[in-house]
Amino acid sequence: MYAALSAVALLAVIVVSSSGHMVNTFMWVRAVLLPVAALLIYRMAVSASRGSRRAFERLAALTVIMPIAIIGVDVIPGVCPSWYAVLQVVCMLPIIRVAFVTRGSALRAAFPTSRRP
């Protein structure tokens, strides 16, 4: 879902830009990088589903950091137009959902923290 929404955001930037409206460099970079990030997150999720604790920990961390960073930057006045900020928030909804799922009791049980002496 996140990959599809990120692709829609990229298409929106392309359409807005081609119609002669202002699209800044920040918007272009973000619109191109987030679909790439979606592929990396997907690979981590696949590895985690196969039992990789390291992939699970990375996925759990990214799904908390990404929404805070993405939405946090978007609310800085003048960085991007409000329609783009709203689109980015919508893109982050599946990531936020994954953040809650990775902190659920079922996955915590599947990936218990190891206690070192």
Side-chain angles (χ1 to χ4, degrees):
M1 180 60 78
Y2 170 61
L5 290 172
S6 295
V8 167
L10 176 58
L11 288 173
V13 169
I14 292 169
V15 168
V16 168
S17 175
S18 66
S19 68
H21 291 88
M22 164 65 175
V23 176
N24 62 30
T25 304
F26 167 80
M27 292 166 64
W28 276 112
V29 170
R30 171 84 64 86
V32 170
L33 288 180
L34 290 184
V36 173
L39 295 174
L40 296 173
I41 290 170
Y42 176 76
R43 287 186 57 180
M44 278 185 251
V46 168
S47 292
S49 73
R50 293 180 179 156
S52 171
R53 176 163 185 73
R54 186 174 175 179
F56 174 74
E57 289 171 347
R58 286 180 177 175
L59 182 67
L62 271 177
T63 58
V64 169
I65 294 167
M66 279 183 64
I68 293 168
I70 301 262
I71 296 167
V73 169
D74 287 348
V75 298
I76 296 171
V79 171
C80 59
S82 58
W83 68 265
Y84 187 76
V86 169
L87 189 57
Q88 292 298 303
V89 169
V90 170
C91 287
M92 286 295 109
L93 293 177
I95 298 296
I96 293 168
R97 172 73 175 126
V98 172
F100 281 102
V101 169
T102 58
R103 279 149 186 76
S105 58
L107 286 181
R108 282 190 313 219
F111 293 98
T113 57
S114 58
R115 303 270 186 209
R116 291 186 180 170

